[in-house]
Amino acid sequence: MTSSDGTQADGLKLNLGCGKVVREGWINHDIMPGPGVDIVYDLETCGIEPFPLADDSVSEIHAAHLIEHIDRTLPFMQEMWRIAKPGCRFELKLPFGATDMASADPTHKRLYFIRSFDYFQQPFYNFADYGYRGDWGTDEVIFRIPASVAGSDNAERLMHRINTERNLVAEMEVRLVAMKPMRPNDRTLMTLPNVNLLIV
């Protein structure tokens, strides 16, 4: 349902770093102008210049192969949390850290693993304060594994291989939820993700 100003009654949908993959019915963002791009903004300026959407206005965020290109990830995640409505779903697709795809690309700024997303939960910071003010609970992590490398291994064996081998995971998908109001710095409040394996 769309209101007279073009926004969705239940919140905006934001497609970050869309490039040429424009989503109809979404606000499409990219660092460069192009066909279908609604917002041109450099995500490295998060924390310096506000992302041009209002507080608590976005109900869904999609980012495919974007976060690994960002250097200033805490300001970025804090700014996305600012514009997120309570319960906003944030879906990220990215290369798993233990792959050549993650480490070979010179434009990738850092590697991400299953526990990397703990750092975007406010309860994680019970021992130190780096100035981050955001709270994304990790709901689910999905590992896409090619059938050719998974073989006949069961889930337990595959998880062992994910933790000990390189180039097993074709893509990692992480689903976060905006926790608002922000939780206190208490590690007992952290959410642990459901981990699912998808053979493709």
Side-chain angles (χ1 to χ4, degrees):
M1 181 175 172
T2 304
S3 65
S4 59
D5 65 355
T7 63
Q8 296 190 12
D10 61 348
L12 303 170
K13 293 184 176 184
L14 177 60
N15 183 21
L16 286 174
C18 66
K20 296 179 181 178
V21 186
V22 171
R23 290 186 164 199
E24 189 172 343
W26 290 59
I27 294 177
N28 293 283
H29 152 270
D30 204 73
I31 193 172
M32 300 291 292
V37 174
D38 304 298
I39 294 176
V40 177
Y41 175 88
D42 183 354
L43 294 170
E44 293 290 6
T45 65
C46 285
I48 302 167
E49 297 288 337
F51 193 87
L53 290 177
D55 295 4
D56 304 310
S57 62
V58 178
S59 60
E60 193 170 348
I61 304 172
H62 173 81
H65 294 266
L66 174 132
I67 193 170
E68 68 273 20
H69 294 272
I70 295 174
D71 188 41
R72 301 178 67 247
T73 50
L74 287 180
F76 163 66
M77 293 300 288
Q78 179 172 314
E79 189 65 2
M80 292 303 101
W81 185 82
R82 177 188 67 79
I83 66 174
K85 293 171 70 72
C88 171
R89 311 291 294 184
F90 192 171
E91 178 188 80
L92 301 108
K93 295 180 180 179
L94 64 156
F96 181 55
T99 63
D100 292 344
M101 181 184 294
S103 55
D105 187 335
T107 68
H108 289 178
K109 302 299 177 69
R110 59 181 40 83
L111 306 178
Y112 287 89
F113 298 88
I114 190 169
R115 298 303 300 274
S116 298
F117 294 86
D118 290 352
Y119 287 78
F120 306 132
Q121 298 189 50
Q122 195 59 211
F124 183 86
Y125 293 96
N126 66 315
F127 65 95
D129 188 349
Y130 300 116
Y132 170 71
R133 297 296 179 267
D135 195 359
W136 290 100
T138 310
D139 186 43
E140 184 179 21
V141 174
I142 300 169
F143 290 116
R144 289 186 170 83
I145 303 171
S148 59
V149 297
S152 60
D153 286 347
N154 62 20
E156 182 179 0
R157 174 62 184 156
L158 285 172
M159 282 305 304
H160 174 75
R161 292 179 63 195
I162 287 170
N163 290 323
T164 58
E165 296 180 18
R166 288 184 59 80
N167 297 317
L168 181 68
V169 177
E171 185 180 53
M172 179 167 65
E173 181 175 329
V174 181
R175 296 177 179 176
L176 307 176
V177 179
M179 311 296 283
K180 290 189 170 184
M182 188 168 64
R183 296 169 293 174
N185 304 131
D186 180 350
R187 269 200 196 204
T188 64
L189 300 176
M190 286 180 60
T191 59
L192 297 177
N194 295 313
V195 179
N196 290 304
L197 308 179
L198 184 62
I199 309 303
V200 295

